[in-house]
Amino acid sequence: MSRIAYVNGQYVPHAHAQVHIEDRGYQFSDGVYEVCEVHDGHLVDEPRHMARLSRSLGELRIREPMSSKALGHVLRETVRRNRVRNGLVYLQVSRGVAKRDHPFPKGDVEPAVVVTARSIDPKKTAKSAENGISVITVPENRWERVDIKSVSLLPNVLARQAAEDAGASEAWFVDADGFVTEGSATNAWIVDQDGRLITRPAEFGILRGITRSVIVDLAAREGVEIVERPFTVEEAKKAREAFVTSATKLVTPVVKVDDSVIGNGKPGSISSNLRALFYSQAELSS
Ligand code: PDD
């Protein structure tokens, strides 16, 4: 079956989908994005993703391309046309097309909107959660505004490649004081010896992950204590459990940080339990 992409108002064959060479997303990374999971044909936590998209657009002073409702329709239609039951839908909004010049273009330039969707085999993600993943640590070298979900992801790309080169699945950025900020495409968590969840506060310096926020709610519901504070790499290496969260990885246990095995080297019970309960807390919409 051929894949379909949404590009600026039209559904086109994925293989022929194109954006203009002077799209500011292409030339300046001047754009934002969202990745929303599709689970059993439902969008997962759509309102939270839409709210974060609006915030990212607002922080960069990019006009909303259309209402959240209309965007929701495009997401669903793209999912439907690609027959995705389990997978993800990707949405990107750039400041639009204009002659290459650093300041914002003058006049009313239309933001450019691209949406794609693809299937992911749930068995594959389940397998990685069953085995747990390894992470490496890399120095934090990103700009301060990583709270904005911008498409400017070069440090993340390099960090993730470093992880691949080391045979690991994710890289955790570590700030100048030795504290873990977040992963290249995930939020980072540990479980201390008393069974408390520790994760960095999401004010600044990390992306306020939607999955993270659902886990915060789920933990509160289940009576699992959460402490929102930064943790060091050394603490992570001695933690009872560690895990990462994102729309595509949900809750994925971490069993190794650099050369240190976490706990007994198997996914911990708290992480696995949070993963198992995730959809009972997430908001599914069709
Ligand atoms: N990444 N931190 C970073 C840097 C991320 O890129 C992501 C998501 C997260 C987790 O956020 P959420 O729970 O809302 O997915 C944290 C997406 C999945 C990506 O870039 O593909």
Side-chain angles (χ1 to χ4, degrees):
M1 193 202 75
S2 62
R3 289 181 65 200
I4 302 292
Y6 173 90
V7 185
N8 294 324
Q10 287 181 316
Y11 295 93
V12 290
H14 190 273
H16 304 296
Q18 292 176 342
V19 291
H20 196 280
I21 55 165
E22 292 208 291
D23 188 296
R24 288 181 62 98
Y26 176 60
Q27 288 185 327
F28 293 114
S29 306
D30 191 358
V32 302
Y33 76 106
E34 281 296 325
V35 176
C36 194
E37 196 211 349
V38 181
H39 175 70
D40 217 5
H42 301 281
L43 294 184
V44 180
D45 293 309
E46 180 191 0
R48 293 190 198 206
H49 282 282
M50 287 300 170
R52 186 172 64 185
L53 177 74
S54 292
R55 179 181 180 276
S56 297
L57 290 169
E59 291 296 313
L60 297 184
R61 292 195 280 148
I62 297 175
R63 172 155 75 73
E64 304 248 350
M66 57 184 102
S67 69
S68 289
K69 198 168 168 222
L71 262 183
H73 178 75
V74 174
L75 295 184
R76 275 179 190 72
E77 189 57 20
T78 309
V79 166
R80 192 186 69 76
R81 289 186 187 226
N82 288 282
R83 296 193 199 151
V84 175
R85 287 222 43 93
N86 291 292
L88 62 85
V89 58
Y90 174 85
L91 160 66
Q92 178 173 326
V93 182
S94 84
R95 198 180 302 279
V97 175
K99 181 186 79 192
R100 186 181 181 278
D101 197 8
H102 288 68
F104 297 169
K106 305 259 178 323
D108 193 21
V109 172
E110 282 275 316
V113 182
V114 169
V115 179
T116 57
R118 69 180 162 89
S119 299
I120 299 176
D121 182 358
K123 284 192 220 107
K124 271 198 190 145
T125 31
K127 188 109 205 109
S128 112
E130 267 163 40
N131 295 334
I133 61 165
S134 301
V135 306
I136 61 161
T137 56
V138 295
E140 177 66 89
N141 59 358
R142 300 174 300 161
W143 74 325
E144 282 169 6
R145 295 308 309 277
V146 292
D147 57 298
I148 302 169
K149 200 161 173 60
S150 91
V151 293
S152 188
L153 291 172
L154 194 48
N156 308 58
V157 166
L158 296 178
R160 181 61 195 281
Q161 186 57 42
E164 298 272 317
D165 292 344
S169 301
E170 178 58 304
W172 279 357
F173 289 112
V174 180
D175 71 16
D177 300 317
F179 292 102
V180 173
T181 54
E182 64 180 331
S184 70
T186 55
N187 288 119
W189 303 68
I190 58 172
V191 180
D192 72 9
Q193 296 304 335
D194 298 320
R196 285 185 299 228
L197 304 183
I198 319 278
T199 197
R200 194 179 178 103
E203 311 316 333
F204 292 102
I206 65 166
L207 182 75
R208 185 180 280 267
I210 302 302
T211 320
R212 178 190 182 284
S213 70
V214 173
I215 293 300
V216 168
D217 295 347
L218 176 60
R221 189 189 91 190
E222 293 296 306
V224 179
E225 195 183 335
I226 294 200
V227 187
E228 291 191 59
R229 65 159 177 85
F231 61 84
T232 63
V233 177
E234 286 320 302
E235 263 186 292
K237 289 180 176 172
K238 292 192 199 113
R240 186 159 127 188
E241 298 181 26
F243 62 94
V244 296
T245 54
S246 79
T248 45
K249 291 200 154 51
L250 298 183
V251 176
T252 296
V254 170
V255 292
K256 206 168 157 206
V257 175
D258 294 329
D259 289 328
S260 302
V261 170
I262 308 302
N264 63 2
K266 300 237 158 52
S269 58
I270 295 179
S271 327
S272 301
N273 203 27
L274 291 171
R275 182 182 175 93
L277 292 174
F278 180 78
Y279 294 114
S280 68
Q281 186 66 38
E283 191 178 338
L284 304 187
S285 50
S286 21

